[in-house]
Amino acid sequence: MVRPRYTLPGDLAPASLGDRRRFYQRGMDYSSAREWMSSPPGERVYALILGRHSGIYPRRFRHLKNVPLVIDDVLDVRDLRPYLVKYLPEGVYYDRNIYASLAAARKAHVDYAHAWRSRLFLGQELAFDLDPENVDCPIHGDVVAKMRRHQGLSFCDWEFEEVRRQAAVLYDELSRRWTDLRIVYSGRGFHVHVFDEEAFRLTRKQRGRIAARYAHRYAIDEWVTSGEMRLIRLPYSLHGMVSRTVVPVPRPDLEKFRYDDPRAVPRL
Ligand SMILES: [Zn+2]
């Protein structure tokens, strides 16, 4: 069966370097991002992706365009601003690991990818990443068909509405066990974050079991929930592939939330 090619719905399109500069100089709500990162106590690592997916990046940083640029000396999100204005990344992420002290972690040469046994490691935020490419679309096919056509980053309205529906069901299901849940519109799909203290202390084995259980029924990225993939988009940053602000969405607003919601459309 020949599936139609597709790109992005509505007016979604990659942000130019000028758009990114305007956003990170004047458009970003750094205070709300700081608030998001303020709990639980501990220090976090940030990472920037300059141009891996969009192919748009400042020419002088072409040697860095595909690799996560790790920032481990920023304790207040507002201090990320000079980095964002300098590197103009297509995506801004934080590592869900939490450390007692990044200064001590740097000194001890802690490998952030294998930090679980470090005495400086305090825990990891539990998160679920729902992406439209993981949805089986009646028009565009499943993730395998989409990847074969190199369209893993495209999505359609049907896929968006399906991941939104799944995010609502997943949130409600998780609410039976956890109490402090937050939904974030990620630019393409949705993230569900668990902020309960107990969730930060889950072992890798427990996370693996949770990931396997939910991946069975939801279009989630299993590697995010299991903790193998630790990076997640920073709320209030810009998703450079679609020119949308990553924003928390209160559960009552979710059913009607669309990617053209005023909260998600940056003034560029
Ligand atoms: Zn589709």
Side-chain angles (χ1 to χ4, degrees), residues 220-233:
I220 63 162
D221 180 334
E222 205 172 330
W223 299 111
V224 170
T225 301
S226 72
E228 294 297 318
M229 174 63 200
R230 305 183 318 280
L231 300 183
I232 198 140
R233 281 184 190 275

Side-chain angles (χ1 to χ4, degrees), residues 36-37 39-40 43-47 93-99 112 116 121-129 191-195 199-200 207 221-233:
W36 177 274
M37 299 302 296
S39 68
E43 301 184 359
R44 319 272 199 119
V45 175
Y46 295 88
Y93 304 80
Y94 66 91
D95 186 326
R96 290 178 293 121
N97 282 0
I98 298 174
Y99 299 96
Y112 298 126
W116 290 83
F121 175 81
L122 297 181
Q124 188 189 78
E125 187 182 311
L126 178 64
F128 297 80
D129 175 18
H191 298 152
V192 181
H193 298 250
V194 184
F195 276 79
F200 284 90
R207 289 168 200 274
D221 180 334
E222 205 172 330
W223 299 111
V224 170
T225 301
S226 72
E228 294 297 318
M229 174 63 200
R230 305 183 318 280
L231 300 183
I232 198 140
R233 281 184 190 275

Side-chain angles (χ1 to χ4, degrees), residues 6 137-141 146 155-159:
Y6 67 149
C137 173
I139 305 157
H140 302 103
K146 292 172 203 173
F155 69 93
C156 68
D157 281 323
W158 191 93
E159 291 162 26

Side-chain angles (χ1 to χ4, degrees), residues 157-176:
D157 281 323
W158 191 93
E159 291 162 26
F160 180 79
E161 284 167 23
E162 174 59 14
V163 284
R164 185 183 63 195
R165 185 193 68 76
Q166 289 195 17
V169 179
L170 175 62
Y171 178 98
D172 295 346
E173 186 176 339
L174 291 170
S175 300
R176 296 205 287 267

